[in-house]
Amino acid sequence: AQRVTQPEKLLSVFKGAPVELKCNYSYSGSPELFWYVQYSRQRLQLLLRHISRESIKGFTADLNKGETSFHLKKPFAQEEDSAMYYCALYNQGGKLIFGQGTELSVKP
Amino acid sequence: NAGVTQTPKFQVLKTGQSMTLQCAQDMNHEYMSWYRQDPGMGLRLIHYSVGAGITDQGEVPNGYNVSRSTTEDFPLRLLSAAPSQTSVYFCASTTGSYGYTFGSGTRLTVV
């Protein structure tokens, strides 16, 4: 079964602290994984694709096939990072499957 | 280039009423999807389409119909609205594995 799990509903950190949002997946094949961000009451925006191995707004994510994980990390959180973050798995049939989301709250 | 456009942005329906949520994209994307977003549930796939004339069910299709007569448009129909369909609905499109582009959402309340 194809599944994405984000174990934390809420993650609260102080400004300047490191952040790690966890994502685990279940997929029988070579996964294509994404992180999306949703700021308050706005549309979802693509943050990262594992294929591109890029860093956006200081965030990075590494695919670990052994642990079936794609955790999102940032060394120093900023207040403007407060948002909902969704991990998503794309299958070749055109379906994008989301995790339940993690709300990140960065306190001053 | 408007991207993905959803209308209306807000809607209140009475139980039993029907309506259509509109979604249009101008990026010539093959794939389009409809999601509903509920607190604590993330985004759940309702229906999706891999091209004009081709649609398939997602995780929560009951109570919803779709059609894809053109590449640009992918309307979502609520046949007989129920309070359980109160949600925020997002339409999205993509060419493939480059990540979906999302619309701004429709906030639907069924009373």
Side-chain angles (χ1 to χ4, degrees):
Chain A
Q2 302 164 17
R3 189 170 58 249
V4 177
T5 303
Q6 294 178 249
E8 302 140 329
K9 285 190 176 181
L10 173 65
L11 184 62
S12 185
V13 302
F14 286 102
K15 177 183 174 181
V19 171
E20 183 179 52
L21 288 81
K22 292 182 167 49
C23 172
N24 289 91
Y25 67 90
S26 173
Y27 185 62
S28 57
S30 188
E32 296 189 46
L33 290 154
F34 302 84
W35 276 99
Y36 281 81
V37 60
Q38 185 182 32
Y39 300 102
S40 180
R41 290 182 169 247
Q42 294 184 24
R43 74 182 70 197
L44 276 81
Q45 302 172 35
L46 178 63
L47 183 62
L48 286 176
R49 300 177 293 155
H50 93 271
I51 291 175
S52 57
R53 299 184 63 82
E54 58 204 339
S55 174
I56 303 293
K57 299 184 179 182
F59 286 98
T60 59
D62 290 318
L63 177 61
N64 185 323
K65 291 186 178 181
E67 296 183 358
T68 60
S69 68
F70 187 56
H71 302 329
L72 183 67
K73 300 177 183 179
K74 186 170 183 177
F76 307 104
Q78 303 299 315
E79 290 181 67
E80 55 266 30
D81 296 328
S82 295
M84 281 293 295
Y85 290 81
Y86 291 97
C87 183
L89 170 70
Y90 178 80
N91 78 11
Q92 296 304 321
K95 292 169 67 173
L96 188 64
I97 299 163
F98 284 88
Q100 301 92 326
T102 298
E103 181 181 356
L104 175 64
S105 174
V106 181
K107 299 178 179 179
Chain B
N1 189 339
V4 178
T5 303
Q6 288 184 240
T7 56
K9 292 190 184 302
F10 301 94
Q11 184 70 49
V12 178
L13 287 180
K14 293 183 179 179
T15 298
Q17 286 185 316
S18 62
M19 79 159 294
T20 299
L21 280 63
Q22 302 291 344
C23 176
Q25 53 94 5
D26 59 1
M27 299 171 285
N28 202 31
H29 285 172
E30 292 177 79
Y31 300 150
M32 296 186 74
S33 296
W34 274 103
Y35 292 87
R36 59 178 289 173
Q37 182 181 39
D38 302 290
M41 308 286 287
L43 282 92
R44 292 181 292 170
L45 182 64
I46 305 171
H47 286 284
Y48 67 106
S49 169
V50 298
I54 306 169
T55 64
D56 205 348
Q57 296 181 349
E59 182 184 356
V60 288
N62 292 342
Y64 307 95
N65 271 359
V66 292
S67 60
R68 184 99 180 268
S69 57
T70 67
T71 299
E72 294 78 19
D73 299 299
F74 191 43
L76 178 72
R77 298 183 192 84
L78 279 70
L79 309 174
S80 177
S84 60
Q85 294 178 304
T86 294
S87 187
V88 181
Y89 291 85
F90 286 99
C91 179
S93 72
T94 186
T95 55
S97 59
Y98 299 101
Y100 271 81
T101 298
F102 281 79
S104 57
T106 296
R107 192 170 293 271
L108 176 68
T109 302
V110 182
V111 297

